Amino acid sequence: MKIHEYQAKEILATYGVPIPRFEIATTPGEARKAADDIGRMVVVKAQVHVGGRGKAGGVKLAKTPDEAEGHARAILGMDIKGLTVEKVMISDAVDIDREYYIGIVVDRATKKPVYMVSEAGGIDIEEVARETPEKIVKHAVDPESGLSPEEARELAGKIESRPAVADRVADFITKLYAAFVGSDASLAEINPLVITPDEVVWAVDAKMNIDDNALYRHEEIAAMRDPATETDELRKARDMGLSFVKLDGSVGCLVNGAGLAMTTMDLISHYGGEPANFLDIGGSSSPEKVVTALEIITSDPNVRSILINIFGGITRCDDVANGLLLALSRTSVSLPIVARLTGTNEEQAKEILAASDLVSADSMNEAVEKAVELAKQPA
Ligand code: GDP
Ligand code: MN
């Protein structure tokens, strides 16, 4: 789950990570008041789930409450990479001497949290990674023993040469790691970490992603979910317990099991098509799940055919077949549907579907090939 900068900063502050004082505003008037409270130069920052807000005009310095109000008026409602700004952060502006990058991600290859530090902070870190990868130092952390003070100090030394400041950066690195582990984050990124002219260290920007599967043990973080940033489809899928990822192709997929869903997508590509989504209806599917899944798939205007690929283990094929008929009776689906149901109660499923318009297929290859072909036909 993505969270906003201000939410990441709230979490980080509880771990002692140094965060400049800030307030949140949803109107220009509130922004003025916040700037007045802070009483010094502030920075007005768009709160949206994308990076590069600075370049897009979503981060502005303001010397007076008047100016802060003006910037807030311009930024609130602004569209940044397709997202509408609904909140701004009014943050105490810090003086910048150096801007560094530090971040932690869970690395699948090493199966460890990997710390990345760079003295080339502030700007687009993806660009640094592309053009001058040697400027990013990586270090895998042993998740069992955690990050030792020595490791933290060594990492700090890679970006900061002044010993006293490097000690402060090391302390920052240690606290960020604690926050990362403690909140079950999959990513925690500070860009820039700022060193002021008088050598004070601040997290000026913060980005965190939280592992969805760990949200059950972080009630306060789960409550940070911002419904405004989610599509209706995503919300519907989650409420029904479906794993859904929207993609750009034309073959809508309704599959059970993440592995089978991935394989189905691969096979669609193999036959020259493109999946419109990843959708795993999970085990023991009720007809309601199938109904919801079909509603989600058919709400995507790019979808030209629907492929249903079910392996009946715990999930019973007849349940899925009933769900399909129910769904088709409720919503008029004008798209061609190819169904391949195999496993538990497949014979009953075939009987149930015999009277419908569905194209049935016996093998997975056949089903995918047909669905791809149908998706290519003119409407
Ligand atoms: P991003 O563009 O979405 O990554 O947003 P950031 O929070 O990183 O802000 C972009 C840039 O604005 C930073 O790299 C800084 O150069 C500048 N900036 C942000 N906050 C401050 C601040 O408190 N003081 C100063 N002087 N500049 C800031
Ligand atoms: Mn940034």
Side-chain angles (χ1 to χ4, degrees):
M1 181 178 84
K2 290 182 180 177
I3 57 175
H4 289 295
E5 173 192 8
Y6 77 92
Q7 297 168 322
K9 284 182 168 176
E10 281 168 6
I11 296 173
L12 294 171
T14 66
Y15 287 87
V17 176
I19 306 290
R21 175 181 168 192
F22 69 84
E23 289 180 28
I24 290 298
T26 55
T27 64
E30 282 174 21
R32 160 189 282 277
K33 185 175 174 307
D36 203 37
D37 288 347
I38 292 170
R40 312 182 336 146
M41 175 132 100
V42 294
V43 52
V44 182
K45 309 181 74 177
Q47 297 298 292
V48 278
H49 288 171
V50 288
R53 294 164 302 167
K55 277 186 194 162
V59 178
K60 294 265 189 246
L61 287 163
K63 291 197 191 71
T64 62
D66 237 11
E67 234 185 300
E69 182 178 344
H71 288 323
R73 184 166 289 120
I75 294 173
L76 286 165
M78 188 186 260
D79 184 282
I80 300 183
K81 299 181 186 170
L83 299 170
T84 307
V85 181
E86 293 182 350
K87 288 181 183 142
V88 288
M89 170 189 276
I90 312 300
S91 180
D92 193 352
V94 303
D95 285 338
I96 299 180
D97 179 33
R98 316 262 165 103
E99 292 185 288
Y100 300 139
Y101 169 92
I102 73 170
I104 318 169
V105 288
V106 175
D107 179 54
R108 284 163 194 265
T110 52
K111 298 179 184 164
K112 286 176 179 166
V114 169
Y115 235 118
M116 293 172 295
V117 302
S118 176
E119 56 184 3
I123 48 164
D124 194 352
I125 196 69
E126 279 80 20
E127 194 180 308
V128 177
R130 235 181 0 253
E131 318 257 312
T132 48
E134 69 282 359
K135 285 194 180 162
I136 302 176
V137 177
K138 293 186 182 177
H139 172 73
V141 182
D142 181 343
E144 297 282 339
S145 53
L147 185 80
S148 72
E150 294 72 29
E151 280 174 285
R153 186 57 178 75
E154 199 182 325
L155 272 169
K158 303 280 189 197
I159 50 175
E160 175 56 60
S161 57
R162 295 165 291 182
V165 184
D167 283 346
R168 272 167 239 156
V169 173
D171 183 53
F172 190 114
I173 285 174
T174 302
K175 285 169 173 162
L176 182 67
Y177 186 77
F180 175 84
V181 174
S183 53
D184 287 306
S186 53
L187 174 138
E189 211 174 45
I190 309 297
N191 188 28
L193 177 161
V194 162
I195 315 288
T196 66
D198 45 4
E199 303 184 350
V200 179
V201 182
W202 292 108
V204 159
D205 191 8
K207 178 177 174 184
M208 285 177 92
N209 293 348
I210 310 296
D211 184 346
D212 285 316
N213 294 313
L215 287 174
Y216 74 94
R217 56 183 186 189
H218 300 285
E219 234 175 85
E220 64 309 330
I221 300 178
M224 290 179 175
R225 190 184 296 283
D226 184 349
T229 65
E230 282 191 324
T231 61
D232 289 347
E233 282 66 44
L234 211 62
R235 197 164 29 245
K236 237 167 137 176
R238 199 188 49 252
D239 290 348
M240 192 48 85
L242 309 169
S243 302
F244 170 72
V245 180
K246 162 122 178 55
L247 299 167
D248 299 326
S250 57
V251 182
C253 307
L254 190 163
V255 188
N256 70 325
L260 187 61
M262 294 300 284
T263 311
T264 305
M265 289 162 55
D266 282 349
L267 213 54
I268 289 172
S269 300
H270 175 76
Y271 281 109
E274 278 183 69
N277 63 279
F278 168 99
L279 197 157
D280 170 13
I281 60 169
S284 63
S285 322
S286 61
E288 287 73 32
K289 278 193 178 180
V290 179
V291 172
T292 305
L294 274 180
E295 283 171 2
I296 291 170
I297 292 172
T298 52
S299 69
D300 177 351
N302 292 335
V303 172
R304 307 294 311 278
S305 73
I306 300 173
L307 170 62
I308 297 168
N309 189 14
I310 300 294
F311 177 78
I314 299 169
T315 306
R316 291 167 31 189
C317 293
D318 54 330
D319 269 356
V320 176
N322 280 323
L324 268 171
L325 291 189
L326 188 65
L328 296 173
S329 71
R330 277 196 207 164
T331 50
S332 62
V333 181
S334 53
L335 298 163
I337 302 178
V338 181
R340 178 254 186 175
L341 291 86
T342 190
T344 308
N345 295 355
E346 71 175 77
E347 290 309 322
Q348 288 95 311
K350 281 209 180 95
E351 278 165 34
I352 293 166
L353 295 181
S356 72
D357 293 337
L358 304 190
V359 180
S360 70
D362 293 323
S363 77
M364 184 155 153
N365 279 287
E366 187 194 334
V368 173
E369 209 174 353
K370 277 183 179 168
V372 169
E373 201 180 297
L374 287 164
K376 286 183 176 162
Q377 264 157 39

